[in-house]
Amino acid sequence: MSASQTSSSDVPTLLVKIFGKDSPGITAGLFDTLAAYSVDVVDIEQVVTRGRMVLCALVTEPPKGVEGDLRATVHSWAESMKMQAEIISGLGDNRPRGLGRSLVTVLGHPLTAEATAAIAARITKTGGNIDRIFRLAKYPVTAVEFAVSGVETEPLRTALAPDAAKLGVDVAVVAAGLYRRAQRLVVMDVDSTLIQDEVIELFAAHAGCEEKVAEVTAAAMRGELDFEQSLHARVALLEGLDASVVDKVRSEVRLTPGARTLIRTLKRLGFQVGVVSGGFTQVTDDLKERLGLDFAHANTLEIVDGKLTGKVTGEIVDRAGKARLLRRFAAEAGVPLSQTVAIGDGANDLDMLNAAGLGVAFNAKPVVRQAAHTAVNFPFLDTVLYLLGITREEVEAADTLDTV
């Protein structure tokens, strides 16, 4: 430690705490009051919750002989503002934070006191310290962010995962740092992620073989069947279906709640957004155009003489293929893989989720939730924004700017 660092830790300081009903001018008024005593500002923090303010100012000790006057003046000013004041003497700045910086995002609907207590206690038991808590959103879910120091990200994530499942909340743990908002490419699965449906089942409903296809799809998503084999088996059941059904299926596709908000917000922030799908280009190309996506890739149903042949053409988009496409999209976008986010729900998304800088299991099967970096189990796709530190207020502000 340098001499300057040592001396700064020994400098006498005052922690000035003001609390009470919020009103305009309090912050300016406090520092106007302190300015008369030639103090320097070391740190400031202010929180307002339901109209009640807590304002903390850490300042250097005033010149000798005037500290008593400073205290009396601050208390008098606070009383005039119908606030309360507390002044504590000490040395130096805040204590250094421990090594290891993580951001723990907790999503609840509702977020109960029991769940909050359990998460906070688990953080403490891992050796972590909660430095700050901030609310990111109050709807469609309550989302709060804990800034934690003193424990590495992976052990913290491992420790919190079982508690999240028991408490019925989602807990996402990511490393703190500039990279979090630097992630510039988001790639999503389509079926049961971007949209609520399994596209092949929509086609199967028109072919009268929905139950058979659904059984094979479920087994494939659980990782019980090889995806390519299951794809060929399901598509074979569509042989002879009239190609006009493509337009009907496109009209039946239902976007996941929050999908438009997620994409719109990411695009405003300068992200590039793409989709990869084990489904079909007949649908993903339409979604790309409708939603303004930058990338889209899927399998293609073969159509000959206006009929589906029961085959697919081109390279199969399977589990490994999705990861390859993520890398391809990142290269084309000029984005390092560490700055990518992948979102998916099935076993065939696992390679993609693990390859991305941040892999998000969205309403996923258990095997996927356990393997991904983090999981979201609420049916709102825009909750992924909170994992990137984007608040609901920022989303709404951007929406307002677009309407001006």
Side-chain angles (χ1 to χ4, degrees):
M1 181 178 288
S2 68
S4 61
Q5 288 175 316
T6 302
S7 60
S8 67
S9 66
D10 294 332
V11 172
T13 53
L14 297 178
L15 174 61
V16 181
K17 179 180 178 183
I18 305 296
F19 50 98
K21 186 177 180 180
D22 186 26
S23 61
I26 290 174
T27 304
L30 172 62
F31 285 99
D32 276 342
T33 302
L34 293 171
Y37 296 92
S38 302
V39 298
D40 296 328
V41 176
V42 178
D43 196 5
I44 309 172
E45 188 153 350
Q46 178 175 306
V47 177
V48 178
T49 304
R50 210 179 68 178
R52 308 294 292 184
M53 168 192 275
V54 178
L55 170 59
C56 293
L58 187 65
V59 299
T60 55
E61 188 179 64
K64 289 184 179 181
V66 300
E67 181 179 331
D69 187 50
L70 179 151
R71 288 174 177 268
T73 303
V74 169
H75 280 284
S76 176
W77 169 82
E79 186 176 347
S80 73
M81 300 298 293
K82 299 182 179 180
M83 304 283 284
Q84 296 181 61
E86 182 180 4
I87 303 175
I88 303 170
S89 298
L91 292 175
D93 199 345
N94 304 307
R95 66 177 183 176
R97 292 193 295 165
L99 296 177
R101 303 281 193 275
S102 297
L103 297 170
V104 178
T105 305
V106 183
L107 309 178
H109 185 63
L111 178 59
T112 65
E114 176 189 10
T116 306
I119 294 299
R122 181 63 65 185
I123 291 171
T124 301
K125 288 178 182 178
T126 63
N129 184 72
I130 299 171
D131 300 319
R132 185 170 298 174
I133 305 174
F134 177 72
R135 187 179 73 181
L136 294 167
K138 59 184 178 181
Y139 71 90
V141 298
T142 300
V144 295
E145 180 179 276
F146 294 76
V148 177
S149 62
V151 60
E152 295 298 330
T153 299
E154 284 301 326
L156 183 59
R157 180 183 294 143
T158 301
L160 289 174
D163 290 322
K166 292 176 186 175
L167 297 165
V169 296
D170 286 343
V171 178
V173 183
V174 299
L178 291 175
Y179 93 97
R180 189 197 195 193
R181 284 210 179 194
Q183 289 161 326
R184 308 308 297 174
L185 171 67
V186 175
V187 177
M188 289 175 276
D189 174 42
V190 175
D191 293 9
S192 299
T193 299
L194 178 63
I195 66 174
Q196 301 177 58
D197 313 282
E198 292 288 332
V199 169
I200 196 165
E201 292 179 11
L202 296 179
F203 278 100
H206 291 281
C209 58
E210 187 175 11
E211 289 187 9
K212 291 182 180 179
V213 165
E215 290 175 3
V216 180
T217 298
M221 292 298 100
R222 291 192 299 266
E224 297 171 2
L225 291 176
D226 173 80
F227 179 80
E228 184 171 351
Q229 291 177 336
S230 69
L231 176 67
H232 288 303
R234 288 175 291 172
V235 171
L237 296 170
L238 306 181
E239 183 179 0
L241 195 61
D242 194 276
S244 62
V245 79
V246 169
D247 288 334
K248 295 177 182 178
V249 167
R250 286 175 174 174
S251 68
E252 292 166 353
V253 165
R254 300 166 300 162
L255 291 174
T256 298
R260 288 187 183 277
T261 300
L262 172 68
I263 294 168
R264 183 173 64 243
T265 304
L266 291 173
K267 296 291 288 182
R268 287 171 179 159
L269 292 172
F271 282 65
Q272 296 191 58
V273 184
V275 294
V276 292
S277 176
F280 310 109
T281 56
Q282 282 84 356
V283 170
T284 57
D285 287 351
D286 181 61
L287 290 170
K288 180 182 180 183
E289 183 176 351
R290 285 166 52 195
L291 299 174
L293 301 174
D294 300 285
F295 306 99
H297 201 93
N299 301 303
T300 298
L301 291 169
E302 184 180 64
I303 298 174
V304 177
D305 296 330
K307 301 287 184 181
L308 273 65
T309 66
K311 300 177 182 178
V312 292
T313 61
E315 181 184 0
I316 298 297
V317 179
D318 56 7
R319 176 169 168 167
K322 287 188 174 186
R324 285 196 300 270
L325 287 164
L326 170 68
R327 293 186 176 93
R328 183 193 303 175
F329 293 167
E332 292 178 10
V335 174
L337 207 57
S338 62
Q339 293 182 9
T340 63
V341 180
I343 310 168
D345 74 299
N348 66 329
D349 297 314
L350 276 173
D351 289 3
M352 175 178 73
L353 297 182
N354 290 327
L358 176 64
V360 181
F362 179 74
N363 290 315
K365 314 303 182 287
V367 65
V368 182
R369 290 201 302 270
Q370 293 167 11
H373 298 135
T374 190
V376 171
N377 295 305
F378 293 101
F380 310 106
L381 195 55
D382 54 338
T383 56
V384 173
L385 293 169
Y386 310 143
L387 307 184
L388 304 178
I390 300 165
T391 69
R392 173 57 59 177
E393 288 77 9
E394 289 171 324
V395 173
E396 292 175 350
D399 285 341
T400 301
L401 287 173
D402 260 14
T403 62
V404 174

